[in-house]
Amino acid sequence: MRARVNGQPRRVPMIAAGAAIAAALLAPLPAAAAVSRDDTPSGYTRYVRARAADAAGRTELAARGYAAVLAETPDDSVLALRTYRQAIAAGDRPLATRTARMLDARKLLPADGRLLLLADALLAADWKAATLATDRIEQEGVYGFAVPVLRGWIAQGSRKGDPFVALDAARSGGPIAMAYAAEHRALIALATGRIDEGVAAVKALSTGGGGRAVRLQLAAASALAKRGDRAGALAMIAGNDGTLTAARKIVTDGRPLPGGVDGPAEGIAALLTRTAVDINRERVTPVSLTLARLATFLAPGNAENWLVTSEILSAGEQYESALAALEQVKPGDPFEEAARFSRVQLLVRRGEPEKALGEALAMARAGNTADDWVRVGQVQTELERHAEAADSYGKALALADKAGATGDRWALLLQRGSALDRSGNWPAARFLLEEAVRIAPDQASALNYLGYAQLERRINLPEAEKLIERASRLRPDDAAITDSLGWTYYLRGDVPKAIATLEAAVSSEPAEPTINEHLGDAYWTIGRRLEARYAWRAALVFAEAKDAPRIRSKIDTGWSPAVAAP
C-alpha cells in the first residue's frame, strides 16, 4: 500500500552517498602511501582523512583534522574557512573563535562569524568589544534586522543607555526587525525587573501557540517564580503542551524553572535560536547551524538551544553530533521529554530502528501517555509492524479519550486507521478513517488518505474524487495531494486533465517515485511511450524494493493491466 499519512506517500530513506567512500578513507592507509619516512602522516594524508571524517558526519574528528593541517599551512584561507565551519558544526568554540579571528584579519570572515565574535565579547562582559562587533554587523547589513535587539541587550547588560530606546530603531528596519524586537521588548522587561509589563507582552505575543509561544511563556513563568508568584507562574504555563505540563510540575515542586532570560547572553541566544529556526524552515544551511551553535555557546543551560542544534545537525545527516547535542538536555528539564522523543527519531534515521523501538517502549511503559504510545506506533510503522502499530495507536487513542483530549482525536484516528489499512484490515481502517473525516472535515491529510485508499482499491471513485478535490483546495501546493488528484482524474478517464495535474506534481517533487510512476502510466495510455519510459526510469531511482520489479517490467515491455500502478 502507498496511501498517504499526513498527505505524504511513504518514501525510501536516503542513505548518504559518501558513507562507503568515507569509511574507506578513514581506514588506515598502507604504510608506503600514508606516512612519510619518519612515520608521521603527511599534511595531505591528514587533510584527506579530515575530509573523509567530514563526509561521514564525524564532525569533531574532522574539526581536529582540519585544525592540524591549518596549523602547518596557516596562509590557506580556503582551509581556514572550512576549519571555521567544521569547528562550528562540532561545537568547538575555541577553535571556531581562533579561525574566525584569522579570517577577520584577512577580511574573509563570513557575516555569521561576526556574530561569533560578538558572542565572545558578551561572554567576557567586554561591552566595548560587543558594541564594536555590533557596529560591524550593522555596516555589513546581512544581520541588520537583529541590530536593534543586539543593542538593546548590550544596553541592558552594560547599564549604559536605555535598552527600550535601542529597540525602537526596529521601526525603520521592516517587519522582520519589528517582530524580533517585539519579543525582546518583553524579554528585556522581564530581565530588568519590569515583570508585569513583560508578562503582559508575553501574553499578547503567545496567542498563536507553537514553539515560539512556549519559549516566551517559560521565560515569563521563570521570572514570576523567582519573584515568588507561584500562582502567576502556573497560570503563565497553562496548556496541554508536554513541555508546559513538565514545567508546571517543576513549579509545583518548588524547583527552579529553566528557560529564564536574565541577561544579554540568554537574550541574544534566544534571538539566534529563533533566527536559526526561521532560516532552517526554508532549507538547511551552514548559517542556521552556526546560529544555533552560537546560542549554545551563549546559553548552554537552555535546552531549547540544544534541541534546535540537534535538529539541524540531524537534517544534515550528522547523527553522532545530533545525539551528542541531545545529551546536553539535563534530567528534569521541561524539554527532557522532547529530547527523548528526538533521540528516538534520530536512532531511526541513523538506521537503528530496533534500538529506537526498545527505548520508545521503555518510555511508554514508564509514562503511559498518549504521546508515548504514538511514538511507539511511529517506530513500529518504520519497522513495518503495522498490526503492532495499530495496537499502539489504539492505546494512545484510549488514553487521550480518558483524559478528555479531543482536539487531536482526528489525528489519532488517522494514524490508527492507516496502520490497520497497512496491516490488511481495511474494514476496520475505513471505519476509523471515515470517523476522522467526519470530525475534522477540513483536515487535508485525513481527506487525502481516505480518498487515496479507495483509489488503490478502485472502489467508490466518485466519492474518492470529492474527498481529494476538497483536500487539494485546502492544500493546493502539496505535491502528494496534487498527485492523488491527478491519479483520480486518470482512473476516472480524464487522461489529459490527469497528465496536466501529475506534471504539476512532478515539478514540485521531481524525485518522488509514486508521482513519476503515475505520470508514466498516464503518458503510456495516450501513446506518449518515450515520455512514459522516462517517467518510469525517474520513478525507479527511489522506488521501494517491492515496487521496483513492476516498474522495471513497464520500462522493458510497456504498460499492461498486470503492471498498472496501484
Side-chain angles (χ1 to χ4, degrees):
M1 289 297 188
R2 284 181 291 175
R4 280 97 161 133
V5 178
N6 296 330
Q8 299 298 324
R10 284 180 51 76
R11 293 179 171 83
V12 178
M14 295 181 63
I15 306 300
I21 297 172
L25 287 170
L26 287 167
L29 296 175
V35 298
S36 62
R37 291 180 182 177
D38 63 357
D39 291 337
T40 301
S42 67
Y44 175 76
T45 299
R46 285 198 296 271
Y47 179 74
V48 168
R49 287 180 173 174
R51 287 297 303 270
D54 192 349
R58 297 169 68 177
T59 54
E60 293 82 0
L61 181 61
R64 291 196 301 271
Y66 289 140
V69 180
L70 183 63
E72 294 181 2
T73 56
D75 294 331
D76 189 334
S77 296
V78 173
L79 179 58
L81 180 58
R82 186 179 293 278
T83 304
Y84 163 73
R85 288 290 179 209
Q86 199 65 41
I88 288 290
D92 188 336
R93 181 186 153 218
L95 177 59
T97 304
R98 286 200 306 273
T99 51
R101 294 194 186 285
M102 182 185 298
L103 290 164
D104 191 29
R106 299 173 193 172
K107 302 188 185 306
L108 295 173
L109 183 65
D112 54 83
R114 194 69 56 198
L115 292 165
L116 171 60
L117 298 183
L118 169 62
D120 200 51
L122 289 170
L123 290 169
D126 186 341
W127 305 116
K128 182 178 179 181
T131 299
L132 289 173
T134 303
D135 290 343
R136 292 291 300 277
I137 291 167
E138 184 173 36
Q139 290 165 13
E140 292 175 0
V142 176
Y143 295 100
F145 64 87
V147 167
V149 174
L150 301 178
R151 293 201 192 285
W153 280 111
I154 291 170
Q156 188 271 337
S158 65
R159 293 178 171 79
K160 293 181 181 178
D162 187 333
F164 298 100
V165 171
L167 290 173
D168 288 340
R171 293 172 184 166
S172 60
I176 295 176
M178 291 177 66
Y180 288 162
E183 288 186 18
H184 288 269
R185 189 174 295 275
L187 294 174
I188 289 176
L190 294 170
T192 53
R194 296 159 61 168
I195 307 298
D196 294 338
E197 178 184 336
V199 167
V202 166
K203 287 179 179 177
L205 292 166
S206 303
T207 54
R212 166 179 169 268
V214 169
R215 178 174 63 251
L216 293 171
Q217 287 171 270
L218 286 173
S222 178
L224 288 164
K226 286 176 184 175
R227 192 172 69 173
D229 185 357
R230 184 179 296 185
L234 290 171
M236 193 73 245
I237 48 179
N240 295 324
D241 180 272
T243 300
L244 295 180
T245 301
R248 288 197 299 275
K249 186 176 189 311
I250 291 171
V251 173
T252 301
D253 292 346
R255 291 180 282 135
L257 178 63
V261 178
D262 299 324
E266 296 93 341
I268 293 176
L271 170 69
L272 295 175
T273 296
R274 164 80 191 278
T275 308
V277 169
D278 290 345
I279 293 172
N280 194 57
R281 190 175 290 119
E282 299 299 323
R283 63 190 180 94
V284 179
T285 69
V287 170
S288 59
L289 178 57
T290 298
L291 299 181
R293 277 295 194 194
L294 294 184
T296 66
F297 296 165
L298 286 166
N302 188 303
E304 187 187 19
N305 298 336
W306 293 107
L307 285 168
V308 171
T309 299
S310 178
E311 180 182 345
I312 296 171
L313 287 165
S314 173
E317 298 184 352
Q318 298 180 63
Y319 300 126
E320 293 297 328
S321 296
L323 286 167
L326 291 178
E327 290 173 2
Q328 300 300 316
V329 179
K330 300 295 187 292
D333 192 280
F335 286 100
E336 180 185 9
E337 191 66 18
R340 294 170 72 185
F341 181 38
S342 293
R343 175 178 165 80
V344 168
Q345 291 178 312
L346 266 171
L347 289 172
V348 172
R349 292 175 191 169
R350 198 173 66 164
E352 299 182 76
E354 292 287 358
K355 184 176 181 180
L357 179 57
E359 293 193 12
L361 280 167
M363 284 185 274
R365 289 163 182 158
N368 199 37
T369 69
D371 287 343
D372 289 329
W373 287 106
V374 166
R375 183 183 304 126
V376 172
Q378 289 170 340
V379 181
Q380 288 166 332
T381 298
E382 285 287 337
L383 288 164
E384 298 194 2
R385 299 180 185 178
H386 300 302
E388 294 175 29
D391 289 342
S392 295
Y393 290 131
K395 291 176 182 176
L397 187 59
L399 287 165
D401 286 346
K402 184 178 179 181
T406 60
D408 291 332
R409 191 170 193 273
W410 70 271
L412 293 172
L413 289 166
L414 173 58
Q415 288 171 311
R416 178 163 163 75
S418 66
L420 287 167
D421 175 21
R422 293 177 186 183
S423 72
N425 190 349
W426 168 244
R430 182 172 183 172
F431 175 81
L432 294 175
L433 295 169
E434 288 176 344
E435 176 66 7
V437 168
R438 186 189 67 78
I439 65 174
D442 294 326
Q443 291 294 336
S445 52
L447 293 164
N448 186 58
Y449 193 104
L450 178 58
Y452 192 83
Q454 292 177 95
L455 294 185
E456 286 187 310
R457 292 169 174 80
R458 308 299 194 262
I459 61 172
N460 204 17
L461 296 186
E463 181 60 27
E465 182 174 349
K466 291 178 184 177
L467 291 166
I468 294 169
E469 284 181 335
R470 196 190 320 165
S472 183
R473 286 194 296 272
L474 290 165
R475 292 220 302 254
D477 297 326
D478 188 309
I481 294 175
T482 303
D483 169 52
S484 297
L485 187 61
W487 196 234
T488 302
Y489 295 146
Y490 174 79
L491 294 177
R492 299 272 284 153
D494 192 343
V495 180
K497 192 174 182 180
I499 288 175
T501 307
L502 291 167
E503 286 175 338
V506 165
S507 68
S508 296
E509 287 264 15
E512 170 52 49
T514 302
I515 303 174
N516 278 294
E517 186 181 6
H518 286 165
L519 181 58
D521 284 17
Y523 280 150
W524 186 274
T525 301
I526 61 169
R528 293 165 65 174
R529 306 296 169 84
L530 183 63
E531 291 165 286
R533 285 191 165 94
Y534 181 86
W536 290 330
R537 287 191 183 98
L540 190 59
V541 174
F542 295 118
E544 295 186 28
K546 63 184 178 58
D547 298 322
R550 180 183 68 248
I551 298 170
R552 285 196 192 95
S553 176
K554 286 191 275 198
I555 294 170
D556 293 341
T557 62
W559 183 93
S560 71
V563 291

